Amino acid sequence: MTSLLRTAPRSQRVPGDLIRVGDVHVRVNVTGEGPPVLLVHGLGASLDLWEPLVKQLEGYTVITLDNPGAGASTVPWPAWRMSKYAETVDAVLEELGYDTVDVVGLSFGGMVCQEFAHKYPHRIRRLVLAATAAGMGAVFGNPLALSVLMTPLRYYSRSYMAAVAPFLYGGDADGESELVQRQSDLRHKMRPSIPGYFAQLATASTFSSVWYLNKITVPTLVVAGGDDPITNPFTCKVIAQLIPDAEYVELEGAGHLFLMERPTQSAALLRDWFERTPRETPVQQVPRPVPSSRPRRASA
C-alpha cells in the first residue's frame, strides 16, 4: 500500500499545483506557451532545480514535476519499481491534458524516462536522455561520487554541498561557484524527506533497462558531460548504442549538471533536436482545466 506521507513542512509557498494522480499526490508546474516539453529531474531533486534551463526555453510550454519522494510529492513507501514512476508520469500528462510531449530526463529522471519510453512510447514525440544510466550492470561512475549519492546530506547542508560538489558533479561545479550556490539554495528550500530520498535510491539501485533498450522506438538523443563523475560518457554511450538509431552528443568539459551549468548551450541543443523535423502532432495542445477542488498551490 502506498503511503501518502508528505515531505517536511516548509515556511514558504512554492510554485505549482499539488494534484492527485492515482494513489499519490504529485507537485506539478506548467509555464510558458508553445510546444509542450516535459522535464524529469534527478535523485531527490525538486522541480525548482530546473530554474536555469526553464528560463532559456522560451517558446515552449515547460512541464516540470517533483518525482514521488522529492519536493512536495508523495513519499512512495515501500519503495516503488521504476514502472510505477513511469505510470505516474503518464497519469500526470493525462491529468494535465497533454497527449504527446517532448521529454527530457536527467540522471534518475533519465531512468524514469527510459521506462516511460518503453511502456508509453505513444506519449513521446522526441526523447532526450541526459547524464543517465541503464541501471544495474551499466553504471561506470567514479566510486567516490557514487558513494556521496548514498545520502541526501547535500540537500540539508550548504557547506557539505560546497565541499562535495567538485568531485560529485564535475564541470564548473566549484564549491564557490554561482551554479553551486544557487543549486544549494534551491535544494535546501525544497529538500527531499529522508524516507523519500531512500525510496528513490532503492528504486534506482534495482533498476535495469538493458534488456529493453533495443525495443525503444521513439527518436532518442543521449547527451553526456565529458567531465561527469556520476554518469561518465561511457555509461551514456552504452545507452546510445543499445537504442536503435539513437544519436549521441558529448559536451566537452561539462559536468553532471550541464543542463543547469550551461543552460544556454543546453537549450540550443534541445531546440535543435526538437525542431529538426516537422512535428507530427499539433504544436500546442490545450490542457484540460484543473478541477476547482484541487489545491492550487503546494504550501506549508
Side-chain angles (χ1 to χ4, degrees):
M1 179 175 174
T2 301
S3 168
L4 292 181
L5 292 174
R6 292 282 306 284
T7 51
R10 295 166 174 83
S11 60
Q12 63 274 22
R13 297 176 66 83
V14 293
D17 296 312
L18 191 64
I19 65 175
R20 177 121 186 179
V21 290
D23 57 354
V24 299
H25 290 93
V26 179
R27 177 182 168 224
V28 179
N29 196 35
V30 182
T31 60
E33 295 183 357
V37 177
L38 172 68
L39 307 180
V40 186
H41 220 306
L43 187 67
S46 73
L47 62 85
D48 307 87
L49 300 187
W50 286 116
E51 178 190 75
L53 181 62
V54 171
K55 289 180 178 179
Q56 297 297 321
L57 289 176
E58 185 178 354
Y60 290 90
T61 296
V62 181
I63 308 160
T64 54
L65 75 159
D66 291 345
N67 280 314
S73 293
T74 292
V75 174
W77 199 260
W80 288 353
R81 299 294 296 268
M82 195 64 76
S83 58
K84 181 67 173 177
Y85 282 93
E87 178 185 331
T88 300
V89 171
D90 175 66
V92 165
L93 293 177
E94 180 68 21
E95 179 72 10
L96 295 177
Y98 293 100
D99 295 325
T100 306
V101 296
D102 291 318
V103 177
V104 180
L106 171 63
S107 196
F108 175 79
M111 295 180 178
V112 174
C113 291
Q114 290 170 59
E115 189 79 11
F116 186 56
H118 173 57
K119 292 187 173 296
Y120 304 96
H122 60 284
R123 287 288 197 188
I124 303 175
R125 199 189 69 90
R126 281 182 173 264
L127 173 65
V128 178
L129 300 174
T132 192
M136 290 189 297
V139 180
F140 308 99
N142 183 292
L144 179 59
L146 296 178
S147 70
V148 173
L149 296 180
M150 294 299 105
T151 80
L153 185 55
R154 65 194 183 281
Y155 285 94
Y156 285 78
S157 169
R158 291 182 175 87
S159 60
Y160 181 77
M161 173 68 170
V164 302
F167 61 82
L168 176 62
Y169 297 120
D172 295 334
D174 181 86
E176 300 299 320
S177 69
E178 181 180 349
L179 167 71
V180 171
Q181 290 181 12
R182 181 56 180 162
Q183 285 283 303
S184 184
D185 288 343
L186 293 170
R187 288 165 189 263
H188 193 265
K189 181 185 294 185
M190 287 298 293
R191 55 187 181 269
S193 67
I194 301 298
Y197 186 87
F198 283 108
Q200 288 192 356
L201 186 62
T203 302
S205 300
T206 57
F207 167 74
S208 178
S209 61
V210 173
W211 66 274
Y212 65 67
L213 286 178
N214 65 347
K215 299 180 176 67
I216 289 180
T217 58
V218 301
T220 303
L221 173 67
V222 182
V223 189
D227 188 36
D228 181 355
I230 299 174
T231 53
N232 62 31
F234 181 72
T235 298
C236 296
K237 285 178 183 177
V238 169
I239 297 174
Q241 290 169 355
L242 291 175
I243 297 177
D245 300 319
E247 295 191 24
Y248 174 79
V249 173
E250 183 176 322
L251 302 181
E252 184 178 357
H256 189 68
L257 300 179
F258 63 80
L259 290 173
M260 285 71 69
E261 174 187 322
R262 302 182 181 183
T264 303
Q265 180 184 10
S266 296
L269 183 67
L270 298 181
R271 288 177 188 277
D272 176 71
W273 178 244
F274 297 152
E275 299 171 10
R276 186 173 301 180
T277 58
R279 290 178 173 264
E280 292 114 8
T281 56
V283 296
Q284 185 175 13
Q285 300 155 14
V286 179
R288 288 188 284 272
V290 179
S292 58
S293 59
R294 179 185 303 150
R296 295 297 301 173
R297 294 279 183 181
S299 60

